[in-house]
Amino acid sequence: MRKIAYYIFAKSIGLYINTLSFLHPKKASQIARAYLTQPREGKLNTANLPDILKTATTETFNYDTHSFPVYTWRGNDTIILLVHGWESNASRWENLLPYLQKSGSTIIAIDAPAHGLASGIEFSIPQYAEFIHKTVEKYSPKYLIGHSVGGKTCVYYQAHYKNTCVQKIVVLGAPSDFKVIFENFINLLSLNQYIYKDLEQQYIDYYKERIEDFSAQKFASKIEIPALIAHDEEDDVVAYNEGKKIAEAWKNSKFITTKGLGHSMHDDTLYQEVYDFLFVK
């Protein structure tokens, strides 16, 4: 019943945008872009901060006109940076933290643009990668761990910034091809060709490359450091094949298939695998 209601809602939004495109095409395109780039969940405020984030030391970083929080659970000189996914925030790592803390490491987590306590209303991977870079510049993490779009952002980051302090990356349930996400969005709302072409051009202008080239599979092919990539067969948010494509392109990677974890991928066995990959020689 919930899926039916969501389907009807999506089609209604699409019908409105398509109708508006005949009268005010740019306005229609702006609304479509907002639905694609503006998260509707995952925001926090200091009054409703999850308990796990209250246990961290928090500082605010500024980048350009944006600000974002950096949460730190202090340990030794080995630094791990955690990068959450779409419509989430840094608290999503609560279940993984105990495994990482067994190593004695210092653990850092950030909020994505327009998520958690970060500023802004629109999300993009290049901007999220800048948040990572500002954090890396100060803390020089040895390991990156990303979930969902956060995982893809880690791949994008390392392929473009090639930071030598990062020695291993863990990618959990991440999408590969932006074109798949883009076309799924167009099809879900049944948007017309004008909206499709206009949104496509906006993204070409912003990313400075074709949509089909904005691919974690292609980014991964440029990375030489080791990676652990995991994806669940029953992920109903990001298709299992997306994770496989990233792993197949990443020469120095190990791919783990899980079953029954869905997109969240919270699992003791998996988290032990992550620990072993990072710390067991």
Side-chain angles (χ1 to χ4, degrees), residues 35-54:
Y35 274 100
L36 182 59
T37 63
Q38 296 180 14
R40 286 162 287 282
E41 297 179 12
K43 289 293 287 183
L44 297 173
N45 59 60
T46 53
N48 71 351
L49 202 65
D51 289 342
I52 188 61
L53 298 182
K54 294 177 183 178

Side-chain angles (χ1 to χ4, degrees), residues 67-231:
S67 64
F68 63 98
V70 179
Y71 305 95
T72 303
W73 293 267
R74 298 200 179 278
N76 59 36
D77 291 339
T78 298
I79 312 294
I80 306 169
L81 175 57
L82 307 179
V83 184
H84 72 78
W86 175 253
E87 293 190 335
S88 185
N89 53 66
S91 69
R92 76 93 51 207
W93 300 109
E94 181 173 7
N95 294 341
L96 176 59
L97 275 171
Y99 286 89
L100 301 179
Q101 288 172 325
K102 288 192 303 181
S103 69
S105 302
T106 292
I107 302 161
I108 296 172
I110 61 176
D111 283 334
H115 292 74
L117 295 179
S119 63
I121 60 172
E122 185 172 283
F123 171 88
S124 78
I125 284 177
Q127 187 182 70
Y128 201 5
E130 279 292 338
F131 284 15
I132 292 175
H133 189 56
K134 294 301 176 186
T135 309
V136 169
E137 283 185 319
K138 179 172 181 178
Y139 286 103
S140 299
K142 188 174 182 179
Y143 307 129
L144 301 183
I145 302 177
H147 172 252
S148 190
V149 172
K152 179 171 181 175
T153 305
C154 289
V155 182
Y156 173 92
Y157 171 77
Q158 190 60 24
H160 287 77
Y161 292 79
K162 302 183 186 303
N163 202 296
T164 56
C165 73
V166 178
Q167 297 183 17
K168 292 181 180 179
I169 298 178
V170 177
V171 177
L172 307 173
S176 173
D177 299 341
F178 181 70
K179 189 174 180 66
V180 172
I181 297 173
F182 183 79
E183 292 188 343
N184 285 346
F185 171 76
I186 295 294
N187 292 333
L188 175 64
L189 272 62
S190 298
L191 297 176
N192 62 36
Q193 279 297 301
Y194 169 79
I195 299 296
Y196 181 103
K197 294 296 184 183
D198 193 65
L199 283 179
E200 183 179 44
Q201 188 58 52
Q202 287 185 51
Y203 276 84
I204 291 172
D205 293 342
Y206 182 79
Y207 289 112
K208 307 303 180 187
E209 56 188 322
R210 298 179 305 167
I211 285 180
E212 53 265 37
D213 291 330
F214 199 79
S215 161
Q217 182 180 26
K218 294 185 178 182
F219 303 152
S221 67
K222 303 175 183 178
I223 303 175
E224 297 180 356
I225 62 174
L228 176 68
I229 301 164
H231 214 107

